[in-house]
Amino acid sequence: MTTTTATRDKQGRFTGSKASRGGGNLGMVAGAVAGGAALGILAMFGRKAAVQAPTALAGNWDEALVVEHQATLKVFDAIEATDEHNTIKRSMLLTHLKHALLKHAVEEENVIYPALREIGQREAADALTKEHGYVKQYLYELENIPNASPDWIAKVREFRADIEKHMQEEEMHLFPMLRTQLSEERNKALTATMNKEGFKVA
């Protein structure tokens, strides 16, 4: 058995340690922990990069957000293809939907909606932000309704209908208006900032 004795100076601070046989094990353990932490950080950044990649590779900020809209609707398709016997799959898909919508909301609320306010579209930006509140309400309700219940899938369909209206307003009116009112340089800056915000929560 290895024992380690720490020594202290006159102020009571640790100054070092003396270990009996096997004392080098502590250094090995510390090295392994540090190496594991480094690998964990690399894995986290790799996962974040993979999650954000479809958005980052889509092009300009508006094109990227449309790609995210389309991906969200595919999750809704997958949910609606389940039945009351697929409770585990429904739970997993709802978790996926929640994460995707959270990231999307951060990108829009922290970058795009403030840019809309800058060009004088405060009322529209505020309305969109309010609609995001209802998105959170739907997610809350879906987490609190038994997902084998007919009420659950009915709520999913109601949610989808509302979110499609929100997406349509953005894609057909507000996003094109914002993009045309900004310079190419400003659009590029907005894209970079939006991807940075998305990466934080990816």
Side-chain angles (χ1 to χ4, degrees):
M1 181 176 169
T2 302
T3 56
T4 304
T5 309
T7 58
R8 296 176 186 261
D9 63 15
K10 290 180 182 180
Q11 285 78 37
R13 296 173 297 203
F14 287 110
T15 58
S17 63
K18 295 178 181 176
S20 64
R21 60 183 174 77
N25 288 346
L26 184 60
M28 289 173 62
V29 169
V33 168
L39 286 174
I41 290 168
L42 284 173
M44 179 191 69
F45 275 100
R47 183 193 61 76
K48 283 176 166 282
V51 170
Q52 190 62 20
T55 303
L57 295 172
N60 227 327
W61 63 266
D62 55 333
E63 296 159 338
L65 290 174
V66 169
V67 165
E68 290 189 356
H69 287 171
Q70 292 167 346
T72 297
L73 294 178
K74 285 181 182 175
V75 179
F76 274 107
D77 288 342
I79 291 172
E80 291 184 83
T82 64
D83 63 29
E84 67 275 9
H85 304 293
N86 304 129
T87 56
I88 293 172
K89 186 173 183 180
R90 282 181 170 184
S91 293
M92 291 173 64
L93 286 167
L94 182 61
T95 298
H96 179 56
L97 181 66
K98 185 175 183 179
H99 185 263
L101 289 171
L102 169 67
K103 184 176 86 71
H104 187 76
V106 166
E107 291 168 341
E108 290 186 334
E109 291 173 16
N110 292 2
V111 183
I112 306 307
Y113 297 171
L116 278 169
R117 291 184 184 97
E118 281 181 358
I119 65 163
Q121 293 296 319
R122 178 176 297 276
E123 191 175 318
D126 289 348
L128 292 171
T129 302
K130 184 177 180 181
E131 288 170 13
H132 278 190
Y134 287 110
V135 166
K136 294 178 179 81
Q137 182 67 31
Y138 273 118
L139 290 168
Y140 170 81
E141 290 175 10
L142 286 169
E143 286 181 337
N144 287 280
I145 298 172
N147 67 15
S149 163
D151 293 339
W152 191 86
I153 201 68
K155 183 62 69 175
V156 166
R157 291 181 177 130
E158 182 186 338
F159 183 17
R160 180 180 186 146
D162 281 353
I163 210 165
E164 283 185 324
K165 288 178 193 171
H166 176 89
M167 291 173 176
Q168 188 174 21
E169 173 68 8
E170 288 179 334
E171 291 181 23
M172 298 187 71
H173 177 58
L174 295 169
F175 289 173
M177 178 181 59
L178 177 58
R179 183 168 177 178
T180 56
Q181 291 199 32
L182 300 178
S183 66
E184 197 56 38
E185 184 179 338
R186 182 74 178 103
N187 274 301
K188 284 180 183 176
L190 212 61
T191 301
T193 304
M194 189 191 78
N195 278 311
K196 184 178 176 183
E197 286 297 303
F199 186 83
K200 288 178 186 176
V201 293

